[in-house]
Amino acid sequence: MNDLGINKFINKYGIQILTFEPLNKYSDVLIHGFTTRPGGFSKGKSAGLNMGKNKDDPGISRNYELVCRVLDIERDSMLFSNQVHGSDILVVMEEESTSPFENPDSQQGYDGLITNKKGLTLVTFYADCVPVYLFDPEKQVIGLIHSGWRSTLLEIAGKGMRKMRTWFGSRAADIIAVIGPSIGKCCFEIGRDVYEKFLSELPFSRNYIYETGNGKWKMDLQGIVKQTLVNNGVNSDNISISNLCTKCNTDLFFSYRAAKEKTGSMAAIMQIKGA
């Protein structure tokens, strides 16, 4: 991790929050971050800065307090996804009311959130899946997309781009995209069933799947997500990849595949600053 590339860490109050330089350029209008594991108040299998909405973890509320202090956001501004590894995306318009922090389960079944509402903080959750940040600086629209392998197969990132165009008039050429930390091609091993699904439903994915010689394959999910965005008109030069593998860096991230059991979650966070 000597070459941090687009990754920049905020170290404050005993925790680390990852930000990305392509989005930091818009810090006058945009707040964003990706939480990491160190610090925090959670114990046991989710020890650290667990952001998952696990009602059995008494440390989570205090973890949110820390993160909100670091990013200077209000807890009550947060809108959460409730992910099911599908392709449904919730769109919230500027004039709509939204649910407060205390009622996070009201947004059931969405793996993506999009809004143009200033001061509304979007939050999605990860422990190996691919976080996708979308920002249209022209129309002032943001999106967070949770793209595990099932959602990647459904091309959810491309669907997010199309929703931004349909609902807000965003042009693909204006979109700034960041693909955050997730399980990398170094570690994401799949079996024949998943391999054949991708070749059948996403033929271009063949370029991002590598045979290991033991009846298994390695898959570059981040590469497939990037190509999906390109296929939907996003300029390749406007798409950045964090290149941090969650499974390789368990001191820094929660990883479901590394833990081989339920573990904590990181959160992707994004807000257009309020007036």
Side-chain angles (χ1 to χ4, degrees):
M1 288 175 49
N2 292 327
D3 180 12
L4 291 178
I6 68 166
N7 306 297
K8 182 177 180 181
F9 289 92
I10 301 173
N11 297 281
K12 202 170 183 180
Y13 304 127
I15 65 173
Q16 293 180 302
I17 296 181
L18 182 61
T19 65
F20 308 105
E21 293 292 36
L23 298 178
N24 286 333
K25 295 177 182 178
Y26 300 95
S27 60
D28 56 329
V29 296
L30 189 67
I31 296 171
H32 80 283
F34 189 78
T35 65
T36 61
R37 184 169 190 169
F41 297 96
S42 296
K43 306 297 182 184
K45 296 176 182 178
S46 300
L49 191 71
N50 179 23
M51 302 296 285
K53 299 307 295 178
N54 182 348
K55 296 178 175 62
D56 297 326
D57 184 344
I60 286 178
S61 181
R62 296 175 71 189
N63 292 343
Y64 271 90
E65 290 175 6
L66 281 176
V67 170
C68 288
R69 286 174 67 193
V70 172
L71 294 179
D72 192 24
I73 55 179
E74 298 292 330
R75 291 203 314 179
D76 286 351
S77 73
M78 288 180 162
L79 181 72
F80 299 89
S81 61
N82 195 313
Q83 296 150 198
V84 294
H85 297 278
S87 64
D88 286 345
I89 298 171
L90 178 67
V91 178
V92 180
M93 305 292 285
E94 174 67 44
E95 62 272 16
E96 293 183 49
S97 61
T98 50
S99 300
F101 176 86
E102 286 76 12
N103 188 22
D105 296 327
S106 60
Q107 316 303 336
Q108 293 285 347
Y110 293 101
D111 281 83
L113 303 171
I114 293 172
T115 193
N116 68 339
K117 185 168 184 175
K118 293 180 175 62
L120 177 63
T121 306
L122 307 183
V123 184
T124 51
F125 302 100
Y126 304 86
D128 279 337
C129 294
V130 181
V132 185
Y133 295 72
L134 301 174
F135 177 50
D136 177 356
E138 299 300 320
K139 299 292 186 180
Q140 298 284 284
V141 181
I142 57 173
L144 282 179
I145 306 296
H146 168 262
S147 193
W149 73 260
R150 292 176 179 85
S151 298
T152 300
L153 188 64
L154 295 169
E155 299 184 273
I156 188 174
K159 185 175 182 180
M161 175 59 248
R162 295 193 299 274
K163 277 188 174 286
M164 291 174 73
R165 180 178 62 213
T166 299
W167 286 77
F168 302 104
S170 294
R171 298 190 315 147
D174 294 330
I175 297 298
I176 307 298
V178 170
I179 297 170
S182 68
I183 193 166
K185 61 184 177 182
C186 49
C187 294
F188 187 44
E189 190 172 70
I190 59 173
R192 179 171 294 277
D193 56 338
V194 175
Y195 168 72
E196 291 180 348
K197 279 180 183 290
F198 272 85
L199 291 193
S200 173
E201 298 180 37
L202 288 185
F204 74 81
S205 67
R206 180 183 299 274
N207 296 325
Y208 302 92
I209 302 175
Y210 315 92
E211 189 169 6
T212 64
N214 61 351
K216 300 285 185 179
W217 290 261
K218 294 285 184 69
M219 179 184 288
D220 180 5
L221 272 181
Q222 297 171 348
I224 295 173
V225 170
K226 178 176 180 178
Q227 187 60 52
T228 298
L229 289 170
V230 171
N231 291 349
N232 281 271
V234 181
N235 188 327
S236 179
D237 292 339
N238 289 342
I239 306 171
S240 302
I241 300 178
S242 169
N243 285 322
L244 291 175
C245 174
T246 48
K247 188 179 177 185
C248 283
N249 297 285
T250 52
D251 57 331
L252 191 58
F253 302 114
F254 295 105
S255 169
Y256 178 81
R257 288 214 170 197
K260 298 180 180 178
E261 60 183 346
K262 188 173 182 179
T263 187
S265 296
M266 289 83 68
I269 299 169
M270 205 174 193
Q271 180 201 103
I272 304 169
K273 291 183 178 180

